[in-house]
Amino acid sequence: MISRRLFCAAPAIIGASCLTCAGFASADVSISPGQLLITGFRGTSPSDPEVDQIRRMIEQGDLSGVILLERNIMSLEQLFELTKSFQSASPDLPVIVSIDQEGGQVSRLGSAKGFKPWISASELAVSGRSNTEVFEYYAERSWEMRAAGINLNLGPVVDLNVNPFNPIIGSIGRTFGRNVEDVVRLADQFIGAHQSAGVKTCLKHFPGHGSSVTDSHQGNVDVSLTWTPEEIAPFERLVRAGLAESIMNSHLLHKYLSDSPFVPTSLSKKSVNEMREGLGFTGPIITDDMQMGAITDFMVPEKASIGAVEAGNNLLIYSNYEKKYSIQSTAEVIHILKSATEEGILDYKMVNKRTEVVRRFRASMISSR
């Protein structure tokens, strides 16, 4: 377990606890492992073929949610009709409708689509706004997301800006800064603002991507020589304050948290155990996109998907953002996980335990239907 002597004595921030559903029933042995998946798709209308296929997957209990990309968004009104069509396919539990809406370069919503513009985390950090002003800034935009039917924003980024030349974090303004206190303070306002609108959030990228010198979208990223325990501090502080509703497990090679030198943290039990036992986190752990180069360049889809579930992740993202992928790619992963469960490669009790966490999470979400 990672040493916390550097930061565990720091004062915890005050925040609201995430919602729970105390009356949620135990998992059913018949639950599909497809409920461990969030998928990307092509389409903007309920009548589009991939949208219709997703609705059928949801109706069959083979999918928990979607991730929205720019290609899916035309306007607030259009997006609401689209998300409502997904929710109508699941009368018992809300469907996860997620988006990467951090601000700056990582924005799917914006003025071109009729939404409020979002500045980057780094711009906001140096804007001189008070805590109240930061809360209000994000609250206005969170309510807009809710109006469009989005119930999970995959943010805030709580990576420390250790390497400002980092090609995927620091250099494009995705972090609130280098100082733990600044990152935690601004993340607190980001999360609280989203909670005020009923939109869930996700801390990323565990165990800290801010010191890397390469981009995990493009291939292997080894932080063994650059990472320090301080990078976990924002995650732990926010978990201890009851503000962590979900956490993203990143595709990093890590000297302490990889199960072996060439296995990324997203597929490692050590990384999940650090979140569960070290941080005391009980909510859903979400992998970064399983179609990023850090996974696909070194591992076949069968091994990666089974490995991610075995490691202890609760939700696997398949964004299908590249042309070579489609909703059929997600269907193939569902088949892989079902076959692995039927053949005993994945223990069905373990799979049900993973899905139970997801179903509790979904039970506490808003629905646009």
Side-chain angles (χ1 to χ4, degrees), residues 231-246:
E231 295 185 57
I232 285 184
F235 296 93
E236 179 157 32
R237 295 273 298 279
L238 293 163
V239 169
R240 301 296 188 201
L243 288 165
E245 295 169 310
S246 62

Side-chain angles (χ1 to χ4, degrees), residues 172-220:
I172 59 174
R174 295 176 70 188
T175 170
F176 289 121
R178 175 65 180 82
N179 181 271
V180 173
E181 295 295 332
D182 293 336
V183 171
V184 172
R185 177 179 64 84
L186 294 169
D188 181 7
Q189 303 309 315
F190 181 105
I191 296 166
H194 282 71
Q195 287 180 335
S196 74
V199 179
K200 301 287 189 182
T201 53
C202 180
L203 308 182
K204 61 188 188 186
H205 305 80
F206 188 87
H209 209 313
S211 67
S212 73
V213 296
T214 51
D215 177 3
S216 51
H217 292 83
Q218 306 303 323
N220 258 343

Side-chain angles (χ1 to χ4, degrees), residues 142-160:
S142 300
W143 278 100
E144 200 171 52
M145 282 193 286
R146 174 168 180 164
I150 298 165
N151 54 24
L152 173 61
N153 189 0
L154 297 170
V157 170
V158 296
D159 300 319
L160 299 183

Side-chain angles (χ1 to χ4, degrees), residues 1-292:
M1 192 173 296
I2 302 297
S3 171
R4 289 172 162 68
R5 287 179 294 178
L6 292 177
F7 54 84
C8 65
I13 56 175
I14 298 174
S17 298
C18 64
L19 297 173
T20 59
C21 182
F24 182 75
S26 297
D28 189 317
V29 295
S30 65
I31 287 175
S32 166
Q35 292 195 29
L36 301 174
L37 302 184
I38 291 175
T39 187
F41 62 97
R42 288 170 178 79
T44 57
S45 165
S47 61
D48 290 330
E50 288 203 5
V51 176
D52 182 63
Q53 188 170 349
I54 287 173
R55 283 203 307 272
R56 283 186 276 116
M57 288 177 170
I58 294 169
E59 287 171 352
Q60 294 163 4
D62 281 338
L63 195 66
S64 273
V66 299
I67 181 169
L68 301 169
L69 302 180
E70 285 188 66
R71 67 191 179 196
N72 306 123
I73 302 165
M74 299 173 65
S75 68
L76 192 155
E77 294 77 14
Q78 165 269 330
L79 189 53
F80 175 74
E81 291 302 317
L82 179 64
T83 60
K84 186 171 67 172
S85 73
F86 292 136
Q87 298 295 357
S88 67
S90 179
D92 298 325
L93 287 174
V95 174
I96 297 171
V97 180
S98 65
I99 193 168
D100 280 304
Q101 186 63 25
E102 302 168 11
Q105 290 193 35
V106 184
S107 297
R108 315 305 183 210
L109 310 172
S111 54
K113 304 291 179 72
F115 293 85
K116 294 181 183 298
W118 288 57
I119 61 174
S120 69
S122 62
E123 288 178 286
L124 186 133
V126 299
S127 67
R129 287 175 170 85
S130 67
N131 286 352
T132 299
E133 290 169 330
V134 172
F135 181 95
E136 291 174 349
Y137 177 88
Y138 283 126
E140 289 178 354
R141 288 153 178 79
S142 300
W143 278 100
E144 200 171 52
M145 282 193 286
R146 174 168 180 164
I150 298 165
N151 54 24
L152 173 61
N153 189 0
L154 297 170
V157 170
V158 296
D159 300 319
L160 299 183
N161 193 21
V162 177
N163 174 18
F165 302 104
N166 183 322
I168 196 59
I169 305 293
S171 68
I172 59 174
R174 295 176 70 188
T175 170
F176 289 121
R178 175 65 180 82
N179 181 271
V180 173
E181 295 295 332
D182 293 336
V183 171
V184 172
R185 177 179 64 84
L186 294 169
D188 181 7
Q189 303 309 315
F190 181 105
I191 296 166
H194 282 71
Q195 287 180 335
S196 74
V199 179
K200 301 287 189 182
T201 53
C202 180
L203 308 182
K204 61 188 188 186
H205 305 80
F206 188 87
H209 209 313
S211 67
S212 73
V213 296
T214 51
D215 177 3
S216 51
H217 292 83
Q218 306 303 323
N220 258 343
V221 175
D222 194 333
V223 296
S224 295
L225 298 179
T226 58
W227 185 92
T228 64
E230 183 187 31
E231 295 185 57
I232 285 184
F235 296 93
E236 179 157 32
R237 295 273 298 279
L238 293 163
V239 169
R240 301 296 188 201
L243 288 165
E245 295 169 310
S246 62
I247 299 178
M248 182 170 286
N249 201 357
S250 62
H251 306 313
L252 300 174
L253 298 179
H254 192 285
K255 58 185 173 184
Y256 302 124
L257 298 176
S258 286
D259 286 350
S260 68
F262 302 104
V263 175
T265 49
S266 55
L267 307 184
S268 296
K269 293 178 181 178
K270 286 183 180 179
S271 180
V272 172
N273 288 343
E274 184 66 24
M275 285 182 256
R276 296 298 189 209
E277 298 175 15
L279 274 62
F281 181 64
T282 59
I285 296 172
I286 306 174
T287 68
D288 210 342
D289 190 354
M290 294 292 290
Q291 293 166 334
M292 289 164 58

